[in-house]
Each structure stands twice: as C-alpha cells, then as structure tokens.
Amino acid sequence: MSNALKADLLLVCATLLAGFGWLFSKEVLESMSPILFIGIRFFLAGLILLPFSWAVLRKLEWLDIRQILISSLFFTTAIIFWVLGLHHVTHLGVGAFINNLAIVMVPVIALFFFKEKVNGLLWGSLPLTIAGLALLFLETDLSAGSGELIFAVGAIFFAIFFNLNTRLAQRLPAMVLVTMQMLVTGIVALPISAMFETWSFQHATGIWGFLIASVVLSTCGRFVLQTWGQGMSSASHASLLMTLEPVWVALISMVWLSERMSTMQAVGCGLLFSAILLSRSGFLWRRFRRPKAVQPLS
C-alpha cells in the first residue's frame, strides 16, 4: 500500500472518530463547564499516551521540544475557542460552517506562509468544499453572534496549527507529538477553567461514559491517526479530507439523535465527497490506469 493511500485511510478513520467526538462533547457539555471539560479530556488523553512515547520524548532535542510546544499552544488556543464557541453559539449550523472554513484556510496558509506547492485540482475542489459546507450547515439562518465570532477565531488558529503539525509529523513520531500536545492543552486549560469557571462535581452519572469515550476514542485515537496520516501527506491534501468530519456528524446524528437530513444537506454531503474525489483524481487516475498492451510485431 502506498503512503498516499495509507494516509488517506488513516485520515478517513480519524474523521469518523472526530464525528463521534462532536456527539460525545455535546452530551458532556450538558452538565460540565466547557474549559474544564477540555482540560480533563486532553490531560487524561496525554497521560494515557505518555507511557507509549516516553522513551522517545526524553531523548528529544530542545529545538524539537520548542517547536512542539509552539504547535501545542496553537492547538490549545484553537480547541479552547472551539469549545467556547460550541457553548455560546446561537446558531449551531452557522458556527459549524465557520469552524469548518479552517479547512479552506489551510492550503492558503500553506501556500503563502510555508511555500507549499498546491496543485490545481485542489484549488478547483475548494469552491465545491465551500458550497458543500454551506448547504450542509446554512439551511435556515445566516445570522451570527459572539459564538460564531469565537468559532472564526478558533478556525484561524486551527488552520495554522494544521500546517505546523503536518510539517512536524513528517519527521517526528505521531505518538510523541500527540502526547505533548494533549498534555500542554490540559495543563493550560485546567488553570484557565479554575480562574473563570465554577467547578461542580454534581454531574449526571450518564456523562462519565461519554467523557471516557471522548478521551479514548475521539482524543487519543482520533489525533494519533490524524497526525500519523498528516505525516505521510501534505497539509493541503490532508485538510481537505477533514471535510468528512461534518458529513460523519450529520450521518451519526441521523442514527443517534433521530435527526433528518434534508435534500439540501444531502446535496452538500455529495459536494464534499465530490471535492475530495476531484482533489484525488490525479492520484486515482495514476493508480488505476492500466498500461496498454504492447502489440507484437508481425
């Protein structure tokens, strides 16, 4: 299996776990403060992964540690803005659309700040991506408030982090990167939560199962697979595959929450799939094209 195909499969699996993560987070946030949830979720994830990466972590050079810390702070900022947006958003569809525009920002940042070559097929897929996200999320209301603005700031930080992380993942083990990023996020978020939120441990007993699933599946599993996949791909190509996350959210919501998908949303999902196929069409053509048989000389 080629690295390109392996990267795509890893990223698709990561988006599926991320899709479940939206629902796990929604259930936990019903009775837990948002930044406290982020702190607990990511700190526990880092502790779980630490034994598997400690041997490499303790041998890292200071330059590598500094670069990982910088990427971790961008990630921490992005994830805190994401959960605050989720908590304060007035129109979830608008917020989700703005949040997912980070995917479109990644190749732009890659081109202008990291001098990454972005092929024409990927640029051609971006309008389909924006249209698909709009149809999926912007059915009824285009208004925006403070929650939507928070999502926008988080999207910028996430797009920068995605570029930084892809470059780090190409030369450092995914497990090491994810362990440090999770621990830094937890260590930063917990004191912030203690300063600005009221901690209460009178939570509904049902949230603990969702919290454990969020830590193990949608944090440890999701980010290890995503970072592993990023290490075998460019930031631009990897980011476009992340558009599958809202598609999974929509499909899972149909099953889990008995929500209905409208015709417009179904078309949006179709456009997102089409954008991914367009961006990968060159690779698929080269992989599945069969050479013509050589005719023997008569």
Side-chain angles (χ1 to χ4, degrees), residues 53-230:
S53 57
W54 177 248
V56 179
L57 265 175
R58 63 192 183 91
K59 296 178 182 178
L60 287 178
E61 296 181 357
W62 168 241
L63 178 62
D64 292 328
I65 293 173
R66 186 178 66 180
Q67 290 178 345
I68 296 172
L69 287 174
I70 291 171
S71 73
S72 300
L73 290 175
F74 273 99
F75 176 77
T76 301
T77 305
I79 207 72
I80 288 177
F81 274 105
W82 172 79
V83 78
L84 287 174
L86 195 62
H87 187 67
H88 294 289
V89 70
T90 307
H91 304 285
L92 187 58
V94 178
F97 172 75
I98 295 171
N99 180 69
N100 279 280
L101 286 181
I103 295 161
V104 180
M105 298 179 201
V106 169
V108 177
I109 291 172
L111 175 65
F112 288 104
F113 293 96
F114 296 96
K115 308 304 179 184
E116 180 182 300
K117 292 183 179 179
V118 182
N119 67 46
L121 289 172
L122 193 140
W123 288 122
S125 68
L126 290 184
L128 287 176
T129 301
I130 296 172
L133 291 171
L135 290 175
L136 189 58
F137 293 119
L138 303 181
E139 266 201 294
T140 57
D141 203 320
L142 295 176
S143 60
S146 60
E148 288 78 10
L149 180 60
I150 292 170
F151 267 131
V153 176
I156 295 170
F157 277 94
F158 181 78
I160 297 171
F161 161 75
F162 202 91
N163 276 282
L164 294 172
N165 201 48
T166 298
R167 282 150 185 81
L168 287 172
Q170 289 168 354
R171 61 183 183 83
L172 294 172
M175 191 72 72
V176 171
L177 282 175
V178 176
T179 300
M180 282 195 66
Q181 288 160 357
M182 301 301 101
L183 287 173
V184 169
T185 301
I187 290 169
V188 171
L190 286 173
I192 293 175
S193 173
M195 287 187 289
F196 296 103
E197 296 178 335
T198 301
W199 289 14
S200 170
F201 295 96
Q202 303 298 317
H203 304 300
T205 55
I207 74 164
W208 299 112
F210 290 112
L211 178 61
I212 293 170
S214 179
V215 170
V216 175
L217 297 177
S218 299
T219 309
C220 293
R222 177 259 177 99
F223 285 104
V224 168
L225 292 178
Q226 178 181 315
T227 305
W228 188 8
Q230 284 182 255

Side-chain angles (χ1 to χ4, degrees), residues 237-256:
H237 279 294
S239 69
L240 197 65
L241 271 175
M242 301 309 292
T243 57
L244 287 176
E245 180 181 334
V247 176
W248 291 127
V249 173
L251 294 175
I252 294 167
S253 297
M254 289 175 62
V255 177
W256 191 318

